[in-house]
Amino acid sequence: SVETYVGSATNLFRAARAEGNGNGEEDDAATRRLHDIKALDLLSELVALLPDDILRERILLTIESTVDRLEGRKQKKSSAKKDGQDLPELNEEDLVETFVRGSGAGGQKVNKTANKVMLVHTPTQCRVECQETRSLQQNRKIARKRLRLKVDEYMNGKNSRTAIKTTKAASKKAKAKARNKARQRKKKEAAGAVKSSDG
């Protein structure tokens, strides 16, 4: 099974690291957890090169859940709710995910590994790209969040979470501007009253 494969790969990384240390001492749990997360990140970069889309997706999802467990994050089964607005759920079958070589700052880690994620939601043809971090797993998570927001904007228009947030920000800015104008007007009136009483 895929879980066994990921577990075996993690154990292989642990054995190689223990042999490389050579001092025979065991790492503490926190250090071992950090090394396991780094190993799974490397494994995800290798898995991204697999030609079989279904197998690649299953392995990457298993790696992602394992990393979440190691980092102490709970798995999110329900849709995220914020500002009373539900984001649409994305079915993995509706997504076309490709990994390409990154570019820009970051050196060899970015330029020689396939860590840039491109996601396309086939029913809506919404497309996002992500190369925020050097980690493929982090880029996959960020790309999915962005795609959910973009699909929400496509489906809900001015009732989408992004549009509501933009409207609130514009309203807040307009109120601040009105308060500032009123404050300036009061200052001018006060300065005019002082000049008229002096003259």
Side-chain angles (χ1 to χ4, degrees):
S1 79
V2 174
E3 290 81 12
T4 308
Y5 172 75
V6 171
S8 299
T10 305
N11 290 333
L12 184 64
F13 278 114
R14 281 182 188 163
R17 197 179 73 255
E19 189 174 309
N21 284 347
N23 58 7
E25 293 179 16
E26 278 281 319
D27 291 331
D28 64 341
T31 305
R32 187 177 24 218
R33 190 169 38 249
L34 285 174
H35 287 300
D36 286 351
I37 291 169
K38 287 179 184 176
L40 289 170
D41 192 40
L42 287 172
L43 178 63
S44 68
E45 291 176 10
L46 292 173
V47 169
L49 302 174
L50 286 175
D52 185 355
D53 293 338
I54 296 169
L55 180 62
R56 179 180 64 219
E57 186 62 32
R58 285 182 56 210
I59 294 172
L60 287 173
L61 286 173
T62 304
I63 291 171
E64 184 177 346
S65 66
T66 306
V67 168
D68 285 345
R69 183 178 47 79
L70 288 171
E71 290 179 342
R73 282 186 259 151
K74 294 182 180 177
Q75 295 289 1
K76 295 179 183 175
K77 296 285 182 187
S78 62
S79 64
K81 207 173 185 184
K82 195 173 188 180
D83 297 333
Q85 176 72 26
D86 281 335
L87 284 177
E89 285 295 323
L90 300 178
N91 294 327
E92 291 296 323
E93 300 86 39
D94 295 340
L95 301 179
V96 176
E97 185 174 38
T98 54
F99 308 102
V100 295
R101 282 193 178 157
S103 62
Q108 183 176 5
K109 174 71 175 169
V110 168
N111 298 322
K112 292 200 173 190
T113 58
N115 65 345
K116 183 176 182 178
V117 178
M118 296 184 350
L119 271 179
V120 178
H121 186 247
T122 50
T124 61
Q125 290 302 307
C126 290
R127 179 176 185 254
V128 294
E129 295 180 2
C130 181
Q131 186 190 343
E132 294 297 313
T133 68
R134 298 191 309 179
S135 166
L136 178 69
Q137 287 299 320
Q138 289 297 97
N139 287 337
R140 289 182 78 230
K141 288 179 186 178
I142 294 168
R144 278 172 169 66
K145 286 179 186 176
R146 287 181 183 171
L147 187 61
R148 287 180 72 192
L149 288 170
K150 200 163 189 177
V151 169
D152 178 45
E153 198 171 329
Y154 177 84
M155 294 171 76
N156 297 324
K158 31 181 207 184
N159 295 327
S160 69
R161 185 184 290 184
T162 308
I164 290 171
K165 190 175 182 181
T166 305
T167 305
K168 283 182 181 178
S171 172
K172 189 175 181 179
K173 189 174 182 179
K175 286 178 184 176
K177 190 174 183 179
R179 280 193 304 267
N180 195 21
K181 275 188 174 182
R183 195 177 303 122
Q184 294 297 326
R185 190 173 50 245
K186 284 183 182 179
K187 278 185 180 180
K188 284 182 182 179
E189 288 172 1
V194 169
K195 283 183 183 179
S196 64
S197 65
D198 288 341

